[in-house]
Amino acid sequence: MMDPNHLNYHGQLEDNKNKNALKWAYLLITSFMIVELVGGIITNSLALLSDAGHMLTDSLSLGFSLFAIIIGQKEANNKKTYGYRRVEIFAALLNGITLIGIAVFIVIEAIRRISKPPEIASTGMLIVAVLGLLVNIVVAFILNNGNNSNLNVKSAFLHVLGDILGSIGAISAALLILFFGWDLADPIASMIVAVVISFSGIRVVKESFNIFMEAAPNDLPTDIIRKKLLEIEEVEEVTDLHLWLITSDYPSITCHVVVGKEVDEQIVLRKIQKLFHDEFSLHHMTIQIEKRNNLQNM
């Protein structure tokens, strides 16, 4: 079995890695958001303004995600026995909701502009959009070096992917306006990006909701775990099997196992612990072993 102190140390390293990634992503996104907002106002481009608005939600969500990880590192206590780790899931849920909200806003504004396209300074729009693309690629690279199994970091990464798409859409629209005078390219590009952003937001909200509902992880179905337990020679029955996520990268499991009356419970316990650790990467487990004759006497 793996040493719990090693697991705690590994968890702290992952948290620090995620914290550093979110810190640098927050600083870069916030700085360029201001640049893109000013550029969008000067050039009168909805594509830039919508991307700046999306980057504003990124800035807020990255800041909240960073705060959530810092709070999540606080030690567990008598009242909060799992600590504050689930604050990260609340941050991820908020990120997903803001993704959906900004997508709706972009679509509404794009529809308004399709009926009356404003004049756009395409050259300035192109310069700002290219700079935005470069900044977002750097931020995506930073976040990708974090822990991709952490839903909080993943949701922040999806935010930035939405920004990359926004920058690509703004660049495409600027080129179409610059060379062909097609002003409709600006709101249309914004709507396409909004649709993609909304799908990312829905996925993050769904994953966060499942964790709050203590659903089993998609990659760890309980029926497979139950089957593997019953393959252990001494195990006769498995009841009260519960598998859930404290956070996206912290699965927990409890189960009640019935064995024969002549079986050594400690041997079975070690076999189950090894199974959970080696085959399912489960570290936080509570296993109750009961002998068949004890149940009959109850």
Side-chain angles (χ1 to χ4, degrees):
M1 284 294 295
M2 189 171 288
D3 182 4
N5 292 326
H6 174 77
L7 292 176
N8 290 334
Y9 175 70
H10 177 73
Q12 289 172 358
L13 286 178
E14 288 296 331
D15 284 345
N16 289 331
K17 185 178 179 182
N18 293 333
K19 184 167 65 176
N20 288 330
L22 286 169
K23 178 182 70 177
W24 285 109
Y26 171 73
L27 292 174
L28 286 170
I29 287 291
T30 303
S31 299
F32 193 78
M33 179 268 296
I34 298 171
V35 174
E36 195 163 41
L37 178 62
V38 174
I41 293 171
I42 293 173
T43 61
N44 201 25
S45 167
L46 175 62
L48 284 183
L49 288 173
S50 63
D51 196 39
H54 185 212
M55 290 184 83
L56 173 61
T57 65
D58 283 354
S59 176
L60 294 173
S61 63
L62 284 167
F64 192 70
S65 297
L66 180 60
F67 173 75
I69 282 187
I70 293 171
I71 293 297
Q73 288 181 317
K74 291 179 64 176
E75 295 292 332
N77 54 47
N78 290 333
K79 289 191 175 292
K80 294 180 175 59
T81 56
Y82 282 114
Y84 294 79
R85 297 180 65 93
R86 274 220 170 154
V87 174
E88 296 178 21
I89 305 305
F90 180 71
L93 179 63
L94 182 63
N95 288 348
I97 292 172
T98 55
L99 276 170
I100 297 170
I102 199 66
V104 171
F105 171 78
I106 292 171
V107 169
I108 293 172
E109 180 62 18
I111 292 172
R112 188 185 69 81
R113 288 201 174 201
I114 286 175
S115 62
K116 191 177 180 180
E119 186 177 344
I120 297 168
S122 54
T123 302
M125 173 184 173
L126 180 61
I127 293 171
V128 175
V130 170
L131 290 174
L133 177 62
L134 294 176
V135 169
N136 286 319
I137 288 173
V138 171
V139 172
F141 179 77
I142 291 171
L143 289 174
N144 194 48
N145 284 336
N147 182 5
N148 286 329
S149 66
N150 183 288
L151 184 59
N152 206 22
V153 176
K154 186 192 295 183
S155 64
F157 180 71
L158 289 173
H159 263 280
V160 176
L161 285 185
D163 282 336
I164 289 175
L165 290 173
S167 296
I168 292 172
I171 291 170
S172 303
L175 291 172
L176 288 170
I177 296 167
L178 183 63
F179 291 109
F180 302 102
W182 192 34
D183 291 339
L184 283 176
D186 184 56
I188 289 174
S190 301
M191 290 181 70
I192 293 172
V193 172
V195 171
V196 176
I197 290 172
S198 65
F199 279 114
S200 297
I202 291 169
R203 184 168 64 179
V204 171
V205 169
K206 182 180 178 181
E207 288 185 39
S208 303
F209 180 75
N210 282 339
I211 291 176
F212 279 126
M213 293 300 294
E214 299 188 343
N218 291 331
D219 58 341
L220 290 175
T222 54
D223 55 339
I224 298 297
I225 294 178
R226 186 186 301 274
K227 180 181 177 182
K228 285 288 185 179
L229 283 171
L230 291 171
E231 288 177 1
I232 296 175
E233 182 181 359
E234 296 88 350
V235 175
E236 297 182 0
E237 186 179 355
V238 177
T239 60
D240 292 329
L241 176 61
H242 299 284
L243 177 64
W244 72 100
L245 289 167
I246 304 302
T247 63
S248 55
D249 53 357
Y250 189 177
S252 298
I253 188 168
T254 64
C255 65
H256 180 198
V257 175
V258 179
V259 298
K261 61 181 180 179
E262 304 298 330
V263 171
D264 186 330
E265 297 104 312
Q266 292 304 310
I267 292 176
V268 179
L269 178 62
R270 285 192 289 271
K271 285 185 178 181
I272 295 174
Q273 289 173 331
K274 188 175 189 309
L275 170 71
F276 285 168
H277 177 268
D278 294 351
E279 295 198 29
F280 300 107
S281 298
L282 291 166
H283 307 298
H284 187 86
M285 59 189 82
T286 303
I287 304 161
Q288 179 183 353
I289 298 178
E290 193 84 42
K291 288 191 174 183
R292 175 67 67 184
N293 63 327
N294 292 340
L295 289 176
Q296 292 172 348
N297 295 331
M298 290 180 64

